[in-house]
Amino acid sequence: MTFLQPILLAALPLIALPVIIHLINQRRYQSVRWGAMMFLLAANRMSRGYARLRQILILIFRTLAIAGLIFAVSRPLASGWLGLTAGGQTDTTIIILDRSPSMLEQGAGTGVSKLQAGREQLASTLETLGSDRWVLVETTSRGALEIKSPDSLRKLPSTAPVGTSSDLPAMLEQARDYIQSNKTGRTEVWICSDIRENDWNAESGRWQTIRESIFELPQAVRFHLLAYPTETKSNTSIRVTSVRRFETVNSAELLVSLKIASDASTEDSVTLPVQFEIEGARSELTVNVEGPTLELIDHRIPIERSNDRGWGKVSIPADSNSADNEFYFVFDRPQKRHTLIVSDDPQTAIPLQLAASISPDPTTECSAETLSENQLATVEWETVSLVMWHAPLPGKESAKLLDDYIDRGGQVVFLPPREPGSAAFRDVSWNSWSDQQTAIRVESWRGDQGILANSQSGNALPVGELEVRRFCELNGEVTPLASLRNNQILFAHLPTTHGGVYFCTTTPDLQDSSLTTNGVVLYVFIQRAIEAGAVTLGQTRQLAAGAAATDKPVNWKQISGPEDALSTDYAHQSGIYSSDEKLLAVNRNQAEDESRALPEEKIAELFTGLAFNRVDDQAGSLEGLIQEVWRIFLVAMLIALMAEAILCMPRRVSKAEDTGFPRRHTDEDTGPPGDRVTTTTQATSTTI
């Protein structure tokens, strides 16, 4: 049990007052032997055992009454959060709120989402605990925002759901920066999240940096996690995987491919209506979902031949999570996909050029050219889908060109040159080549998402069959996508706010690896990078919510999407938007459909050494995190006082007991211990 006013518990020694008073009163009165009354003492001893018991009970109840009063004014809390408020009044309370799509999942039969439940629990809890300052850090990562009171969590637009995945390490970094820059006193950090893997990014090296920086803070910082890890088994999600505009002789069609995933454990076939909307025109298709996923490839939707570009939406009926029941898309005439290969080794560049120039779709034209770093100034970057860099890392001027290209959404793949050099790109550099006596294979890779993800049919890429004879080690903070033995990186991704930057630590040269002879992985890797870069070309863009667009969201106009979305949140809300002459489709990140909750032991590992506690809640739960129970102690005090009063009442004397002799009042009659006074209350004469 914890207390909001623990300082008042220092008064607990006062419960000894009744005992002290009793001892003092015993010394105030002395017994005087009176021969005429001696024969009455013998009769009184017969009831002394009961009198002693009553005296002890009176002392106990008086002591309990004082203890109950002290506990009541200390405002005790009933909670599973041990040590919740230990240490006194909080100077600053920082609330880290996960607003990602998975937080819209509702509790079974409640109609209340995890986000709603979390906001309500935090508001009611923090109102009880109190603080001098309240600060909000939320998913869209606009920085720490000071709020008026915890009640603001219930109604602020910045606590409403969005389509953006959360970045918990970045949010914790913002909280740390706020603590450092504002030099706060005692600080409490409350985290409300459903602890999904993609939101927490537990493998990131930033966690260790965060822990170390928290250790160095001079003020006390405590972390509390309000977790909603439960996943319902009645949710179905839909996602468009491909949209192509295809012209026939007299008309045009859209070829829409989509994926339906279900969490239901039943093996029975489920009939599901899928609604298609093309710029307001609706059609419906009924599909039978057997098993956990359904792939619908190239569903044909007729459109006007003059309709060169436009937008659409697919949706399924509402279920436990409304955030993944619809998906927006845009379409345009196929754009030419052009790849630049910067290489100082023309022979090694040949397989790269072949893989980039062979189109997987006959309706899409692909091309590739090889040039040197000195020729970059003449490149028309607006037509480039992918840059493959097989040369020493770029110098200052070339790096600036690449940075601008990436910031527009471009894709860059770096391969190691024969002479790595000392240059670095975005704090990542090549180290040295490592030669292997025998070829080694890939031990692990990310097949759930990313550029090496499984195919649409669910089949894994043959990454594990690759053989590597030479690789170049990497320096810098990157996210591994495929690793060799001893955790040596083969493919890696450099996190960026725009575009994509990848590193491959070997080359297609036969002396280095089997990327050429086992060409499936190389081809898929390059084509997926080209496809990701091609979405930035033309007049349409397919964007993941939260990935900042090339245009400022303030210039966007909403065409379709949530009616209550704020214009400042357009980049974080699923929907269709226009910016100048471009059409933009914004949707949740793919990881939102596939991520699972982190194990409890992994969460504990992330906060190792920090003052941390956790409680699990469920959406729709009516049970508060904490409850003040001072009323219970107040009632207990009243009961103790009433019992003490009853015990102190004098015992009624029956006629049979009244002999007419003078009666001596004892403790048995008057009750209060310590008042041992012998008095004569009645004098009568008896004739024998």
Side-chain angles (χ1 to χ4, degrees), residues 584-598:
L584 311 173
V586 178
N587 292 282
R588 65 191 183 277
N589 192 292
Q590 183 177 354
E592 288 292 325
D593 297 343
E594 302 168 349
S595 184
R596 293 291 178 261
L598 281 173

Side-chain angles (χ1 to χ4, degrees), residues 364-380:
T364 303
E365 182 180 353
C366 291
S367 62
E369 66 171 322
T370 303
L371 69 170
S372 65
E373 184 176 351
N374 297 331
Q375 298 173 288
L376 289 180
T378 62
V379 172
E380 296 181 6

Side-chain angles (χ1 to χ4, degrees), residues 75-92:
R75 299 181 66 187
L77 302 176
S79 169
W81 295 56
L82 299 178
L84 185 64
T85 58
Q89 179 68 20
T90 300
D91 174 73
T92 302

Side-chain angles (χ1 to χ4, degrees), residues 282-419:
R282 293 180 174 85
S283 61
E284 189 172 290
L285 173 68
T286 300
V287 298
N288 292 323
V289 182
E290 297 181 359
T293 60
L294 170 69
E295 296 279 349
L296 184 64
I297 307 298
D298 289 347
H299 173 66
R300 296 177 178 269
I301 304 176
I303 60 173
E304 295 292 335
R305 188 179 179 88
S306 59
N307 194 357
D308 289 340
R309 69 187 183 105
W311 63 273
K313 180 179 74 171
V314 295
S315 59
I316 56 177
D319 53 22
S320 61
N321 190 347
S322 59
D324 55 15
N325 291 339
E326 57 187 19
F327 198 93
Y328 296 89
F329 61 87
V330 289
F331 60 89
D332 197 357
R333 288 182 177 274
Q335 300 293 317
K336 181 179 178 180
R337 301 179 177 182
H338 186 61
T339 300
L340 289 181
I341 302 174
V342 180
S343 177
D344 55 3
D345 185 354
Q347 191 66 28
T348 304
I350 293 177
L352 301 177
Q353 188 170 0
L354 286 174
S357 59
I358 300 175
S359 174
D361 184 357
T363 63
T364 303
E365 182 180 353
C366 291
S367 62
E369 66 171 322
T370 303
L371 69 170
S372 65
E373 184 176 351
N374 297 331
Q375 298 173 288
L376 289 180
T378 62
V379 172
E380 296 181 6
W381 293 97
E382 294 77 8
T383 64
V384 176
S385 300
L386 173 65
V387 175
M388 302 197 71
W389 195 279
H390 180 233
L393 291 174
K396 185 175 181 180
E397 294 183 1
S398 299
K400 179 62 170 60
L401 292 174
L402 286 182
D403 281 331
D404 293 341
Y405 170 70
I406 294 169
D407 289 341
R408 292 195 299 269
Q411 308 287 309
V412 179
V413 176
F414 289 99
L415 291 90
R418 293 303 170 197
E419 298 295 333

